[in-house]
Amino acid sequence: MKQDMKEQLLTKRPIDLLFQLSIPAVIGMIVIGLYPLMDGIFAGNIIGQTAMTACGVAMPLTFFNSGVSTLLGVGSASVLSRAIGKGDQNTVDKIMGNLIFWVILFSAIITVGGILLAPHFLDMVGATGEIKAYGIRYLRVIFIGSLFVNFTQSANMVMRGEGLMKKAMMIMGLGALLNIILDPILMTVMGEYAIEGAALATITAQFVQAVVTLHYFLKKSKVVKIHKIKSDEKIKKKCLE
């Protein structure tokens, strides 16, 4: 967290800080929800109503990734904020290595489980026929990008823990814009595989977000750096405090 942000936290009125810090975070979370929404809108216009419905039915199942990334991101951001406040650089240096370890582990589980169990997930939400078929094809591509979305969203929360709300929001906005641009292009180019094109547009945008986020923590961040990637017991305990 930069010194000017620390000064603001100590001197600004709480109501001013509330809007300054919360609005970019809220916008960032709204942007996350735009991915399946825009996929559905373009699918409806390019493929048809059935494909749009399939994207809508599949959307709740993508929350497996959102849940994992929120769990890891909020916990890591909380530990980071407390460590920065205490001047505990040793803990700060372990945050991203611990985060990435768990992102890789959970993403691998979700990717394999999602690809294999997509038909059963859709059965649970009542999808049948062509809607189910489109939903399976869409989800199996979406789950391939689990690593990208989980890393981006959880690391984005760590960025907010540094106090960089606007930067975090801009990275999320970049991904949403790319998705909107790529959706009609890939869906048109891929023809009969247009529904896969919608999902591919999403994971491509998320991949770009992940690269930009990774570059920030490797090259730009003056506070949080990526060191050894491993699970850290002390950080796990701090997350439970």
Side-chain angles (χ1 to χ4, degrees):
M1 187 182 294
K2 295 180 180 179
Q3 184 62 36
D4 63 341
M5 178 58 70
K6 289 184 179 180
E7 292 174 356
Q8 289 180 52
L9 291 172
L10 292 172
T11 59
K12 272 195 171 184
R13 293 188 308 160
I15 188 66
D16 294 333
L17 286 170
L18 174 66
F19 285 104
Q20 178 182 339
L21 298 177
S22 64
I23 290 177
V26 170
I27 293 174
M29 294 303 293
I30 292 173
V31 165
I32 292 172
L34 288 177
Y35 286 101
L37 175 64
M38 297 312 301
D39 285 352
I41 290 173
F42 283 112
N45 282 297
I46 295 173
I47 304 173
Q49 184 176 351
T50 303
M52 181 176 67
T53 304
C55 290
V57 169
M59 182 176 67
L61 304 177
T62 65
F63 292 160
F64 281 110
N65 282 324
S66 296
V68 165
S69 59
T70 300
L71 172 71
L72 298 175
V74 169
S76 298
S78 173
V79 174
L80 173 65
S81 298
R82 284 179 282 163
I84 290 175
K86 293 177 182 178
D88 183 0
Q89 190 61 40
N90 183 53
T91 297
V92 172
D93 289 341
K94 295 177 180 178
I95 292 286
M96 286 304 295
N98 181 78
L99 174 70
I100 293 174
F101 173 87
W102 289 106
V103 163
I104 293 172
L105 178 61
F106 281 119
S107 296
I109 294 171
I110 292 174
T111 297
V112 175
I115 291 173
L116 295 177
L117 300 176
H120 304 289
F121 290 152
L122 290 166
D123 285 337
M124 291 171 61
V125 296
T128 57
E130 195 173 6
I131 293 174
K132 179 180 176 181
Y134 273 128
I136 292 171
R137 291 166 59 186
Y138 177 76
L139 281 175
R140 282 179 169 166
V141 178
I142 286 291
F143 281 126
I144 291 173
S146 294
L147 176 62
F148 308 137
V149 65
N150 285 332
F151 171 72
T152 300
Q153 291 185 18
S154 57
N156 197 264
M157 294 176 189
V158 173
M159 199 178 293
R160 294 177 208 166
E162 288 187 71
L164 303 176
M165 302 295 180
K166 290 183 180 179
K167 183 181 288 291
M169 179 185 70
M170 292 299 291
I171 291 175
M172 299 308 292
L174 169 66
L177 179 61
L178 281 174
N179 186 49
I180 292 170
I181 294 171
L182 291 173
D183 256 332
I185 296 173
L186 292 181
M187 291 177 72
T188 302
V189 168
M190 295 182 71
E192 63 179 302
Y193 299 103
I195 193 69
E196 284 87 353
L200 186 59
T202 293
I203 65 173
T204 300
Q206 290 167 345
F207 172 75
V208 172
Q209 281 182 314
V211 170
V212 172
T213 303
L214 184 63
H215 178 263
Y216 167 75
F217 284 109
L218 287 174
K219 302 293 185 180
K220 300 293 185 180
S221 178
K222 297 179 181 179
V223 180
V224 184
K225 298 289 186 180
I226 299 175
H227 296 284
K228 190 172 182 179
I229 297 175
K230 67 173 185 176
S231 176
D232 188 89
E233 291 295 328
K234 290 183 179 180
I235 292 179
K236 286 196 290 183
K237 290 179 181 178
K238 289 178 183 293
C239 287
L240 297 174
E241 291 177 356

